[in-house]
Each structure stands twice: as C-alpha cells, then as structure tokens.
Amino acid sequence: MSDHVYKLMEITGSSTISMEDAVQKAVNRSARTVHNMRWFEVTNIRGHIDEGEVRHWQVTVKIGFTLD
Amino acid sequence: MSDHVYKLMEITGSSTISMEDAVQKAVNRSARTVHNMRWFEVTNIRGHIDEGEVRHWQVTVKIGFTLD
Amino acid sequence: MSDHVYKLMEITGSSTISMEDAVQKAVNRSARTVHNMRWFEVTNIRGHIDEGEVRHWQVTVKIGFTLD
Amino acid sequence: MSDHVYKLMEITGSSTISMEDAVQKAVNRSARTVHNMRWFEVTNIRGHIDEGEVRHWQVTVKIGFTLD
Amino acid sequence: MSDHVYKLMEITGSSTISMEDAVQKAVNRSARTVHNMRWFEVTNIRGHIDEGEVRHWQVTVKIGFTLD
Amino acid sequence: MSDHVYKLMEITGSSTISMEDAVQKAVNRSARTVHNMRWFEVTNIRGHIDEGEVRHWQVTVKIGFTLD
Amino acid sequence: MSDHVYKLMEITGSSTISMEDAVQKAVNRSARTVHNMRWFEVTNIRGHIDEGEVRHWQVTVKIGFTLD
Amino acid sequence: MSDHVYKLMEITGSSTISMEDAVQKAVNRSARTVHNMRWFEVTNIRGHIDEGEVRHWQVTVKIGFTLD
Amino acid sequence: MSDHVYKLMEITGSSTISMEDAVQKAVNRSARTVHNMRWFEVTNIRGHIDEGEVRHWQVTVKIGFTLD
Amino acid sequence: MSDHVYKLMEITGSSTISMEDAVQKAVNRSARTVHNMRWFEVTNIRGHIDEGEVRHWQVTVKIGFTLD
Amino acid sequence: MSDHVYKLMEITGSSTISMEDAVQKAVNRSARTVHNMRWFEVTNIRGHIDEGEVRHWQVTVKIGFTLD
Amino acid sequence: MSDHVYKLMEITGSSTISMEDAVQKAVNRSARTVHNMRWFEVTNIRGHIDEGEVRHWQVTVKIGFTLD
C-alpha cells in the first residue's frame, strides 16, 4: 500500500464451462508473461451460440498489476 | 463473414441455479422460434430475494442472429 | 404491488468459489439486520488475484427492500 | 416467478398532454398485438417544439413481456 | 452553504397516479425517519403493466440530506 | 429536412408543479431570444426538498434549434 | 407528428466498403419486411481484421418505424 | 498550450452524402460566427430514412474553440 | 481478504479549499459513526460559484466499509 | 429558489498548477461576460505531457447561470 | 473458436481523408508488431479543426488479438 | 499533427499527498519505459481509508503516446 504504480491490461478469456472459468483462463494465460497481478474487474460478458446452445462464454477483464 | 445483416433481440432468462443457467434458458426458449442465433451479450444481471435467500437469477442478454 | 416504498442499499460480497456465492453471501449477511429484501441488481464484478490465480470474487449488488 | 423467459421490446409513445400519457399510449398500442406485458423502463424522454411551445412529449420505454 | 457534509440514500416510490406522485411518496416516507433532506435526483423510471394498462409508476431517486 | 445545421443548448427549468411544467418554462424562457427551436431531450431530473416535501422540480433539457 | 407510436429494432449491417454502406445495408435488408422506417441511431461500430487489414465494417443501428 | 480557456458548443450537421460531410457542414456553418475552433468530438450519429433508404446523416459534434 | 462483506454509502463533502479537502471532510464526518472504512471512489465533482469565484468544492464519494 | 431558469455552458480551463486552478481559470474567464453563475460540475479531466512530466491540467466544467 | 484468450489494445489512428482511413491506419501500424488481430471496436471519434475546416479525423479503436 | 498513430495505456498512480501527485507518479513511472507521451485522461479516482483518514489517492489515467 505504499506509493505503488499499477498498469491495467484488458484480456478476454473464453470457456465452454462458465463465466468464472473464462476469467480464470484469462488470468492463467496472462500469468505466463505478467507477474504481480493484483486485481481484475469484469468489463464485458458475451458468448457464442451454435444450434441454439451457448457454446462459449467470453468474459473481458481489466487486470491490474504492480509495476516494480 | 460475408455481407450479412444481423438482428438483435433482448431476452431475460431466469433460473434458480446460476447466471449461466439463466442465459442458457433465454437462448433455449428463443431457439424455438429463431434460427441462426450467433452471439449474445449480457446487459443486466438481477434477481429476486425471498426470506433472505436469492431465489431467482435474472440475466438479460442481447442475442444476435443472421437475417437470411 | 400497492403503493410501497423501497430503499436500496449497495453491498459487496466476496467468495472464493463463484460469483453466485459472492452475491448469496452479500444477501445472507444483510438478512441479519434487514427484512423484506425483494430484489437485487449486480452493479460491479471484481476480484483479487494472487500468484496467477483468482482468489476472491467480489460482486457488488444493489438490494431493494420494502419500507413498512 | 418460476423459470419464466421474458422478451423486451422498445417502443416510443407520443402525446400532446404529458410524459405519463405518452407511456400509456405506447403500452396501449402494444397491447393490440402483445399479451402478458409485465413491466416497462423509461430509456429516453424527448419532444418537439413549435413556435416556442412543447407540442409533443416522446417517451421511449423498454417493455418486458412473458414468453409462454 | 458552509462546509456541510451530506449523505445520499436511494429510494423507490411507487404510485398509480403519476411520476411526480411516486417521487413525492418516496420523499414523504423518508421524512418519517430522516430530517434535513435537501435535494433529489431521479435515477430510474420504471413501472408495472397489467392487462395492457400502466398500473404503477416506480421512480427511484437519490435523496441528499445534511449530516449535522 | 434539407442540409440544415442545428445548435444544441442546455437549459434547466424549474417548477413547483410538475416535470412537464419545468420543461415548458425552460422552453418558454428560451423562446425570448432563440427562434426556430425544434426538439428537446431531457438529460437530468432533480429537485429541491424542504420540510419533507418536494418544492421544486428541476428538469434539464438539451434544446435543438435551426441555424439559418 | 400526431400521436404516433414507434417501434425500435436493433440491426447490425456489415460492409467491406465503409461505415455508411454498412448502415445502408442494414436499412435495405430491413425494408424487405418493415415499412414506415423513419430514423436510425448508431449504437455500435465494430469490424473484423484479417492479415492486418480491416475486412468488414459492422455498424449497429436502432431503427425507428411507425406502428400504424 | 499556455493557460488557454476553451468553450465547447454542440452542433448537429446533416448531409445526404456521408458522416464526414455532415461533420464538415457543422464546422463550416459554425465558422461563420466562431473563430479559433480547435477540435471536435462526435457525440451522436443519427439519420433519417425515407422509402427504405438513408436520406440524411445527422452527426452531432462538440466543438472546442479558444476564448481570447 | 477472507470472505468479508462490505457496505457502500454515498457521502458528499464540501470544502472552500480543495477537492482533496472535500473528500477528507466526508471521510472524517463519516468516521464519527462508521468504523472499518476501507476505500472510497469519487462519483461526482461539483461546486458553487459566487461573484465569479469558486466558493465550495463538493465531492461525492462512495465509501466501502467492512460489515463485521 | 423561485421558478428560475438556468443555462449551462461547457468550458475547459487549463493550468500548470492543479485541477482546482484549472477550474478557477475557467470560471474567472467566464465571469468577464457571464453574470449570475451559480454552480459547476466537472465533466472531464485531461492534461498534456511533455518530456515525461505533466505540463497542463485541463478540466472541463459545465457551469450553470441564472437567466434573468 | 476453441478456448482462446485475446488481448485488447487501444489505438488512435488519424487521417486527413475519412474515419475509415483513420481506423485503417491504426490497424496497419499495429500490424507491424502485433499478429493475429481479429476485431476492433470504435470507442471515440474526434478531430482537429484549422481555419474553419476539419483537418484530421482521429478515431480510437480497441483491437483484439489472439494470444497464442 | 500529421498522420500519427497513438497508443493508449491505462495506469494507476497512488500518492499520500494529492490527486495531482498520484497522476504525476503514474506519468513519471511510465516515462522510464515509454517515450513520446503526449496526453492523459483521468478515468477513475479512488483511495484507501485507514482509521478514518484518507491514506492514499489512487488515480487511474489513460496515457496516449506516439508510435513512431
């Protein structure tokens, strides 16, 4: 909580299972290259429909991470 | 991806189980009369409370479908 | 549905499990002191990330309850 | 309050008298072809001016109705 | 207009008559327990429909009152 | 409907009677100096409370008028 | 300008050429089944990219038409 | 870039040709009476439809100009 | 950061000095009756003008506090 | 507080010092030609950066003043 | 359409010709360093005015691209 | 002002002193790795409270910089 500076990036994760899983996938993929992720905020929830069924949940999040 | 035209309709599904189930119910009911649904976007998440418990999730989606 | 008056309060629930559970926790905690809760609307979905994993879902809801 | 599905349609009513009358006209006209209308939400209030006087109130509402 | 501090609360009034009456009912009910109310701002206008007629106007207001 | 250019101005009217009267007062006052007013859109509805009663309705409108 | 009632529908047109052409295509396709269209408002401008070039403009419009 | 003060005005231009032309017409007309216009921001894109064709593009812009 | 529940309240502080001072006054006054305040978010910045000078800064904040 | 009518104008002030100073400059400049200014609301906060330092604060305010 | 993760970046392109050209320039420039761009959404349309003429169209887009 | 392309990034600066200082810290930190920063826009103002006092101002800005 000292005078940190944070950067926000916007990521869309997709999942066939749930909204939570789509967010988790966005966070997991980001973790490969970004460290010190601290929080996220959902900015959009969409999805694809095929043959009358929801096939993918697509959740967009802004992720905040600490700049060292 | 050619020069398609899409129509959007706004549907509210409700479920006692989860937000995802409320969306799925909205899509399933729409599939009875509308074909070629392609995507949805969540525009509102509400619900009813009874005796201190969440009883229904009500999720409103805009659904896009192709006009032939 | 007669000429009722409702008050809205804004509550943030958090959960390690799901968005629905975060809302349910917000509603359950409010039920300790507020009666006649009738509906809620989700106004914000956020969360905390630790070591590349979502640790908490934080969902803010406006809850409407009847003023007697 | 069971697992109903609702459709929303957006209608603009106009009236020379009042905002309430414009909404009522939108609802009355819709009742000719749509049954089971349950609620509305005002999304826009506009009007026309002629010779320095308000001539028409134009109120747009989203109307929700039950899909059987 | 000195260094006052104000609190805002959000109240929904309903009326079978008009939008203004719904706001007035929200204010009157609030006056039973809150003093020094100073202003309001309309944040939402909704209503219920029954048998093709508007039955209730539901107007939500944020009411500001002085903290002594 | 030819290639007209319109200017928009934002005016707040107040009334002790109703929202419609507040708009009408805003339009009437503007008519003293502006001609060719064509339409308005409501952008804000507020008011003052005194002794637990609504004393003034304050409605802000954007008014469009033709530039000759 | 008498007491007309209008319905709004939301349509997405797409074009490889321009935003205006995408709107025109949305309007043209709608004209096959809807008469008395009067105005539109752009609510979203998107598009697809392929191999570093914009391939489609997708413009969503709300179209208002008179209910007889 | 010194301590300038700017005024913003909101203007709607219309054109039968394109969105860009509608903006240009708004700017050209304003130039008759306002000097030192510096930038604009598009706040609304609408239009009129007649016999199933777009007849006018109506683009609203906020124009900023330097107060001397 | 365990499964806490937070309540949000909306408070307007005013100050003749600065925006920061207006926020600080809102927080200080709230501290008389509310404990465990954790964060705030600015939702509105307004002020009063008298004789061509800014006399009061009025800053509205949503304040979140832990419910035990 | 009688049945006044107010006009709103939108002004951007800039300052090298602070946000408050930018607002004050907008108000001071406006006072040269407009009397009876009563309140303002901040609608945008921007600024210029040069060589990695904030050089100007640019704050846009809507200013309301009484029409006599 | 499998479980892809997308990143969004926000780019402003400028053009002396048209809005479409400004978007195309934003996309072209981005293609130098980013691959797999899939879609864009327009978030802002602005421009510069000089001597009473529009000199530059500045269109801001959010561009989504696949993270491998 | 030629056909430049700009990229926007979103950064949150925090400060124990003031909102301006939080923005300045966000800009200073960004200057370590990004050149040609040109402007910023404030998108969010938040802060932390501890023991009834504001401890940190957290201001989020979108920063635009030229892509060479």
Side-chain angles (χ1 to χ4, degrees):
Chain A
M1 277 326 153
S2 56
D3 285 8
H4 286 311
V5 175
Y6 307 89
K7 185 166 184 176
L8 287 85
M9 60 182 179
E10 202 162 14
I11 305 287
T12 303
S14 63
S15 162
T16 56
I17 301 171
S18 70
M19 301 186 202
E20 283 86 350
D21 189 54
V23 174
Q24 189 63 62
K25 282 196 165 63
V27 170
N28 287 162
R29 175 62 184 80
S30 300
R32 284 200 231 159
T33 52
V34 180
H35 300 285
N36 298 321
M37 291 187 290
R38 298 286 300 274
W39 83 90
F40 67 89
E41 178 173 359
V42 172
T43 58
N44 195 252
I45 303 173
R46 304 171 73 96
H48 281 91
I49 302 171
D50 191 32
E51 297 186 17
E53 301 287 331
V54 175
R55 296 297 181 196
H56 279 85
W57 301 93
Q58 293 186 308
V59 184
T60 303
V61 287
K62 282 196 183 177
I63 298 177
F65 58 97
T66 313
L67 291 175
D68 299 323
Chain B
M1 273 330 150
S2 57
D3 286 9
H4 286 310
V5 174
Y6 308 89
K7 184 166 184 176
L8 289 84
M9 59 182 180
E10 202 161 15
I11 306 285
T12 303
S14 62
S15 162
T16 56
I17 301 171
S18 70
M19 298 186 204
E20 284 85 351
D21 189 53
V23 175
Q24 189 63 63
K25 281 195 164 66
V27 170
N28 286 162
R29 176 62 185 79
S30 300
R32 283 200 230 161
T33 53
V34 180
H35 300 284
N36 299 319
M37 291 187 291
R38 299 286 300 273
W39 84 91
F40 67 89
E41 178 172 1
V42 173
T43 58
N44 194 251
I45 303 174
R46 305 172 73 95
H48 281 92
I49 302 171
D50 190 32
E51 297 186 16
E53 300 287 331
V54 175
R55 296 298 180 195
H56 279 84
W57 299 93
Q58 295 186 308
V59 183
T60 303
V61 286
K62 281 196 184 177
I63 297 176
F65 58 96
T66 314
L67 291 175
D68 299 323
Chain C
M1 277 324 154
S2 56
D3 285 9
H4 285 311
V5 174
Y6 308 89
K7 185 166 184 175
L8 289 84
M9 59 183 180
E10 202 162 15
I11 306 285
T12 303
S14 63
S15 163
T16 56
I17 301 171
S18 70
M19 299 186 204
E20 284 86 350
D21 189 53
V23 174
Q24 188 64 62
K25 281 197 166 64
V27 170
N28 287 162
R29 176 61 183 81
S30 300
R32 282 201 230 160
T33 52
V34 179
H35 300 285
N36 299 319
M37 290 186 292
R38 298 285 300 273
W39 84 89
F40 67 89
E41 179 172 1
V42 172
T43 58
N44 195 252
I45 303 173
R46 304 171 73 95
H48 280 91
I49 301 170
D50 190 32
E51 297 185 17
E53 301 288 331
V54 175
R55 296 297 180 195
H56 279 84
W57 300 93
Q58 294 185 308
V59 183
T60 303
V61 286
K62 281 196 185 178
I63 298 176
F65 58 98
T66 313
L67 290 176
D68 300 323
Chain D
M1 273 330 151
S2 57
D3 285 9
H4 285 312
V5 174
Y6 308 89
K7 185 167 184 176
L8 288 85
M9 60 183 179
E10 202 161 16
I11 306 285
T12 303
S14 62
S15 162
T16 56
I17 301 171
S18 70
M19 299 185 203
E20 283 87 350
D21 189 54
V23 174
Q24 188 64 62
K25 280 196 167 66
V27 170
N28 287 162
R29 176 62 184 80
S30 300
R32 282 201 230 160
T33 52
V34 180
H35 301 285
N36 299 320
M37 291 187 291
R38 299 285 300 273
W39 84 89
F40 67 90
E41 178 172 0
V42 173
T43 58
N44 195 252
I45 303 174
R46 304 171 73 95
H48 281 91
I49 302 171
D50 190 33
E51 298 186 16
E53 300 287 332
V54 176
R55 296 299 179 195
H56 278 86
W57 300 93
Q58 294 185 308
V59 183
T60 303
V61 286
K62 281 196 185 177
I63 298 176
F65 57 97
T66 314
L67 291 176
D68 299 323
Chain E
M1 278 324 154
S2 55
D3 285 8
H4 285 312
V5 175
Y6 307 89
K7 184 166 184 175
L8 287 85
M9 60 182 179
E10 202 162 15
I11 306 286
T12 303
S14 62
S15 162
T16 56
I17 301 171
S18 70
M19 299 185 202
E20 284 86 350
D21 189 54
V23 175
Q24 188 63 62
K25 281 196 166 65
V27 170
N28 286 163
R29 176 62 184 78
S30 300
R32 284 200 228 160
T33 52
V34 179
H35 301 285
N36 298 319
M37 290 186 291
R38 298 287 300 273
W39 83 90
F40 67 89
E41 178 173 1
V42 173
T43 58
N44 194 253
I45 302 174
R46 304 171 74 96
H48 280 92
I49 302 171
D50 190 31
E51 297 185 16
E53 300 288 330
V54 176
R55 297 298 180 194
H56 279 84
W57 300 93
Q58 294 186 306
V59 184
T60 303
V61 286
K62 281 196 184 178
I63 298 177
F65 58 96
T66 315
L67 291 176
D68 298 322
Chain F
M1 277 325 153
S2 57
D3 285 9
H4 285 311
V5 174
Y6 308 89
K7 185 167 184 176
L8 287 86
M9 61 182 179
E10 202 161 15
I11 306 286
T12 303
S14 62
S15 162
T16 56
I17 301 172
S18 70
M19 300 185 203
E20 284 86 350
D21 189 53
V23 174
Q24 188 62 63
K25 281 196 166 63
V27 170
N28 287 162
R29 176 60 184 82
S30 300
R32 283 200 229 160
T33 52
V34 179
H35 300 285
N36 298 321
M37 291 187 291
R38 297 287 300 273
W39 84 90
F40 67 89
E41 179 173 0
V42 173
T43 58
N44 195 252
I45 302 173
R46 304 171 73 95
H48 281 92
I49 302 171
D50 190 31
E51 298 187 15
E53 299 289 330
V54 175
R55 296 298 180 196
H56 278 85
W57 300 92
Q58 293 186 310
V59 183
T60 303
V61 286
K62 282 196 183 177
I63 297 177
F65 58 97
T66 314
L67 291 175
D68 300 323
Chain G
M1 280 320 157
S2 56
D3 285 9
H4 285 311
V5 174
Y6 308 88
K7 185 166 184 175
L8 288 86
M9 60 183 179
E10 203 161 15
I11 306 287
T12 303
S14 63
S15 163
T16 56
I17 301 170
S18 70
M19 298 185 204
E20 283 87 350
D21 189 53
V23 174
Q24 189 63 62
K25 281 196 167 64
V27 170
N28 286 163
R29 175 63 184 79
S30 300
R32 282 200 231 160
T33 51
V34 179
H35 301 284
N36 298 319
M37 291 187 290
R38 299 286 300 272
W39 84 90
F40 67 90
E41 178 172 1
V42 173
T43 58
N44 195 253
I45 303 174
R46 305 170 74 95
H48 281 92
I49 303 171
D50 190 32
E51 296 185 18
E53 300 288 330
V54 175
R55 296 296 181 196
H56 279 83
W57 300 93
Q58 295 185 306
V59 183
T60 303
V61 286
K62 280 195 186 179
I63 298 177
F65 58 97
T66 313
L67 292 176
D68 299 322
Chain H
M1 279 321 154
S2 56
D3 285 7
H4 286 311
V5 174
Y6 308 89
K7 185 167 184 174
L8 288 86
M9 60 183 179
E10 202 162 14
I11 305 286
T12 303
S14 62
S15 162
T16 56
I17 302 170
S18 70
M19 300 186 203
E20 283 86 351
D21 189 53
V23 174
Q24 189 62 62
K25 281 196 165 64
V27 169
N28 287 163
R29 176 61 184 81
S30 300
R32 283 200 231 160
T33 53
V34 179
H35 300 285
N36 299 320
M37 290 186 291
R38 299 286 300 272
W39 84 91
F40 67 88
E41 178 173 1
V42 173
T43 58
N44 195 252
I45 303 174
R46 303 171 74 96
H48 280 92
I49 302 171
D50 190 31
E51 297 185 16
E53 300 288 330
V54 176
R55 296 298 179 196
H56 279 84
W57 300 92
Q58 294 186 308
V59 184
T60 303
V61 286
K62 281 196 184 178
I63 298 177
F65 58 98
T66 314
L67 291 175
D68 297 323
Chain I
M1 279 322 154
S2 56
D3 284 9
H4 285 311
V5 174
Y6 308 88
K7 185 166 184 176
L8 287 85
M9 61 182 180
E10 202 161 15
I11 305 286
T12 303
S14 62
S15 163
T16 56
I17 301 169
S18 70
M19 299 185 205
E20 283 87 350
D21 190 53
V23 175
Q24 188 63 64
K25 281 196 166 64
V27 170
N28 287 162
R29 175 62 185 79
S30 300
R32 282 201 230 160
T33 52
V34 180
H35 301 285
N36 298 321
M37 290 187 291
R38 298 285 299 273
W39 84 90
F40 67 89
E41 178 173 1
V42 173
T43 58
N44 195 253
I45 303 174
R46 305 171 73 96
H48 281 93
I49 303 171
D50 190 32
E51 297 185 16
E53 301 288 331
V54 175
R55 296 297 180 196
H56 279 85
W57 300 93
Q58 294 186 308
V59 183
T60 303
V61 286
K62 281 196 186 178
I63 298 177
F65 58 97
T66 314
L67 291 177
D68 299 323
Chain J
M1 282 319 156
S2 56
D3 285 8
H4 285 311
V5 174
Y6 307 89
K7 185 167 184 175
L8 287 85
M9 60 183 180
E10 202 161 14
I11 305 286
T12 303
S14 62
S15 162
T16 56
I17 301 170
S18 70
M19 299 186 204
E20 284 87 350
D21 190 53
V23 174
Q24 188 64 62
K25 280 197 165 64
V27 169
N28 286 163
R29 176 60 185 79
S30 302
R32 283 201 230 159
T33 52
V34 179
H35 301 285
N36 299 321
M37 290 186 292
R38 299 286 300 273
W39 84 90
F40 67 90
E41 179 172 0
V42 173
T43 57
N44 195 252
I45 303 173
R46 303 172 73 94
H48 281 92
I49 302 171
D50 190 32
E51 296 185 17
E53 300 287 330
V54 176
R55 296 297 179 195
H56 279 83
W57 300 92
Q58 294 185 307
V59 184
T60 303
V61 286
K62 281 196 185 178
I63 299 177
F65 58 97
T66 313
L67 291 176
D68 299 323
Chain K
M1 277 325 152
S2 57
D3 285 10
H4 285 312
V5 175
Y6 307 89
K7 184 167 184 175
L8 287 85
M9 60 182 179
E10 202 161 14
I11 306 285
T12 302
S14 63
S15 163
T16 56
I17 302 171
S18 70
M19 300 185 203
E20 284 87 350
D21 190 53
V23 174
Q24 188 63 63
K25 281 196 166 64
V27 170
N28 286 163
R29 176 61 184 81
S30 300
R32 282 201 231 159
T33 52
V34 179
H35 301 285
N36 299 321
M37 291 186 292
R38 298 286 299 272
W39 84 90
F40 67 89
E41 179 172 1
V42 173
T43 58
N44 196 252
I45 303 174
R46 304 171 73 95
H48 280 93
I49 302 170
D50 190 31
E51 296 185 20
E53 300 287 332
V54 176
R55 295 298 179 196
H56 279 84
W57 301 92
Q58 294 186 309
V59 184
T60 303
V61 286
K62 281 196 184 177
I63 298 177
F65 58 97
T66 313
L67 291 176
D68 299 324
Chain L
M1 281 319 155
S2 56
D3 286 8
H4 286 312
V5 174
Y6 308 89
K7 185 167 184 175
L8 288 86
M9 60 183 180
E10 202 161 14
I11 305 286
T12 303
S14 63
S15 162
T16 56
I17 301 170
S18 70
M19 299 186 203
E20 283 86 351
D21 189 53
V23 174
Q24 189 62 64
K25 282 196 165 65
V27 169
N28 287 163
R29 176 61 184 79
S30 301
R32 282 200 230 160
T33 52
V34 180
H35 301 284
N36 299 319
M37 290 186 292
R38 298 285 299 273
W39 83 90
F40 67 89
E41 178 172 1
V42 173
T43 58
N44 194 252
I45 303 174
R46 303 171 74 96
H48 280 92
I49 302 171
D50 190 32
E51 297 185 18
E53 300 288 330
V54 176
R55 296 297 179 196
H56 278 85
W57 300 92
Q58 293 186 308
V59 184
T60 303
V61 286
K62 280 195 186 178
I63 298 177
F65 58 97
T66 313
L67 291 176
D68 298 324

